[in-house]
Amino acid sequence: MWKKVLCKTEQLKDELRGIQLNHPQLQHLRILLHGPVGAGKSCFINSLQSVFQGEIKAITYEQSFAKKSCTRTYKTYRIITNNSETLPFIFNDVMGLEATEEDGMHPEDVVNAMLGHIKDGYKFNPTTPISAEDQGFIREPSLQDKVHCLVSVVPANSISRMEYGVISKMGIARENAKRLGIPHVVIMTKVDEDVCPLVQKDLTQIYKSRKIKEKVCCILMYIHLNSLHLDFLEKTKNESYRHRPMRNCSDRLGPPMKCVFPISNYHEETEIDNNKDVLILMALLYIVKVAKDYVKV
């Protein structure tokens, strides 16, 4: 097992409910989700709400097998418990990334969001990033407006089919997050969809699965390809090269394995599943902790 799994959902929920920011400028931590179209960003937000409500919820629109992003505006989502308690962290969902320059989220707008320049409700323009002349531009963002953790959402079942344009845009986002000192976490979705028969049958085996570990390796490589030489990109077309042992990829490319969380969102289910909840909560707890550490610096 390459990561210890905490089995008690209530223990994880209690720790998240008890998060104290103790910062005079902050009422909440801001977490930015980005990734390819159809990766499951909106579904992840709905899954979080479902976990804390104890029943399946949908607070944001999601679409199965989407080829174009169903998210068009910069929108903030708050997670509310079944006791009507608003948790001290919020999520911003953005337009999905696409391979061509004229489609999907403009990479500069990911950076603008991290810097806190984008108002809630701003409608994205795939060909032109927000400017200081736009009504949705925040000229002097506060710490509350800025992003405290960047989360890349990537689908496990189509990693090898990700287009180079998408990989490049994800690399730009990561490089800018690193430049700004913003922590970066990766959520790997759709782990139980034609990725590993063992996990598809039993989600509790996720951290024992060699195939899931190999997919994490792919993600670590792809996210960092933007800063590597183009001939390395060509090498990844080779199947044996792409699935090298996880520790080699992590050592060469970072981030470490602890920053990558395979999960299964709620998308077809009508009832809560404890095994899904644990994976989702483990990922969320780590995201919130690194975001909290970031604002302390």
Side-chain angles (χ1 to χ4, degrees):
M1 183 176 290
W2 45 284
K3 191 176 289 186
K4 184 179 179 181
V5 178
L6 298 175
C7 297
K8 297 181 179 179
T9 56
E10 288 307 316
Q11 178 185 340
L12 290 163
K13 286 181 185 178
D14 287 344
E15 188 167 355
L16 284 158
R17 290 190 195 103
I19 293 288
Q20 299 290 326
L21 299 184
N22 299 321
H23 196 294
Q25 298 179 43
L26 288 178
Q27 288 77 49
H28 52 250
L29 298 167
R30 187 179 299 275
I31 300 156
L32 178 65
L33 303 178
H34 88 127
V37 171
K41 299 179 296 298
S42 300
C43 194
F44 179 58
I45 294 172
N46 285 334
S47 295
L48 287 171
Q49 187 63 80
S50 299
V51 170
F52 280 97
Q53 287 286 330
E55 59 183 351
I56 303 300
K57 294 288 185 181
I59 58 174
T60 178
Y61 180 77
E62 58 184 78
Q63 183 176 337
S64 300
F65 311 111
K67 293 184 178 180
K68 292 291 181 181
S69 181
C70 59
T71 302
R72 300 289 179 179
T73 60
Y74 191 63
K75 189 166 182 181
T76 302
Y77 294 93
R78 290 169 171 77
I79 306 301
I80 301 171
T81 71
N82 56 355
N83 294 323
S84 300
E85 175 188 4
T86 302
L87 298 176
F89 39 85
I90 59 176
F91 287 84
N92 278 103
D93 194 10
V94 298
M95 200 173 189
L97 298 174
E98 297 187 47
T100 59
E101 292 185 2
E102 64 271 13
D103 294 310
M105 181 79 169
H106 197 290
E108 288 185 29
D109 272 340
V110 179
V111 182
N112 284 319
M114 287 192 283
L115 291 170
H117 288 308
I118 303 182
K119 288 182 181 179
D120 194 48
Y122 170 75
K123 187 175 181 180
F124 294 111
N125 183 339
T127 58
T128 308
I130 193 170
S131 69
E133 288 70 41
D134 290 316
Q135 285 189 338
F137 189 85
I138 300 174
R139 291 179 179 272
E140 297 182 3
S142 66
L143 182 61
Q144 190 73 78
D145 297 317
K146 296 178 181 179
V147 166
H148 311 125
C149 183
L150 173 69
V151 176
S152 298
V153 182
V154 184
N157 65 343
S158 59
I159 292 171
S160 60
R161 300 192 300 274
M162 283 177 61
E163 297 181 79
Y164 295 165
V166 173
I167 295 167
S168 178
K169 289 178 181 180
M170 291 183 70
I172 292 170
R174 170 167 171 77
E175 288 303 308
N176 278 280
K178 186 165 65 173
R179 176 178 60 84
L180 295 167
I182 297 171
H184 178 221
V185 178
V186 180
I187 296 292
M188 186 168 73
T189 60
K190 305 185 181 183
V191 294
D192 50 353
E193 296 183 22
D194 300 321
V195 176
C196 173
L198 179 67
V199 173
Q200 195 166 6
K201 183 178 179 180
D202 183 1
L203 198 56
T204 64
Q205 301 299 305
I206 195 164
Y207 285 113
K208 296 179 181 179
S209 168
R210 179 181 59 84
K211 289 184 180 293
I212 295 297
K213 202 172 183 181
E214 288 174 350
K215 290 295 183 182
V216 173
C217 180
C218 287
I219 289 175
L220 292 175
M221 285 196 293
Y222 284 173
I223 288 176
H224 288 267
L225 285 179
N226 188 63
S227 60
L228 300 176
H229 197 272
L230 286 177
D231 64 357
F232 184 78
L233 185 63
E234 292 300 315
K235 288 179 182 178
T236 62
K237 293 179 181 178
N238 181 281
E239 188 73 12
S240 62
Y241 189 90
R242 191 166 61 238
H243 292 310
R244 281 184 173 182
M246 173 62 172
R247 60 183 181 277
N248 292 343
C249 297
S250 181
D251 290 346
R252 289 182 60 185
L253 300 171
M257 287 171 58
K258 66 182 179 181
C259 296
V260 184
F261 290 85
I263 69 161
S264 175
N265 281 325
Y266 286 106
H267 59 101
E268 294 178 344
E269 298 79 3
T270 57
E271 295 182 356
I272 291 294
D273 181 334
N274 183 71
N275 295 328
K276 285 180 180 280
D277 287 3
V278 167
L279 297 176
I280 292 168
L281 289 167
M282 282 177 59
L284 177 61
L285 182 59
Y286 185 82
I287 290 167
V288 171
K289 282 183 174 181
V290 296
K292 184 179 176 183
D293 288 343
Y294 168 70
V295 298
K296 285 181 180 179
V297 177

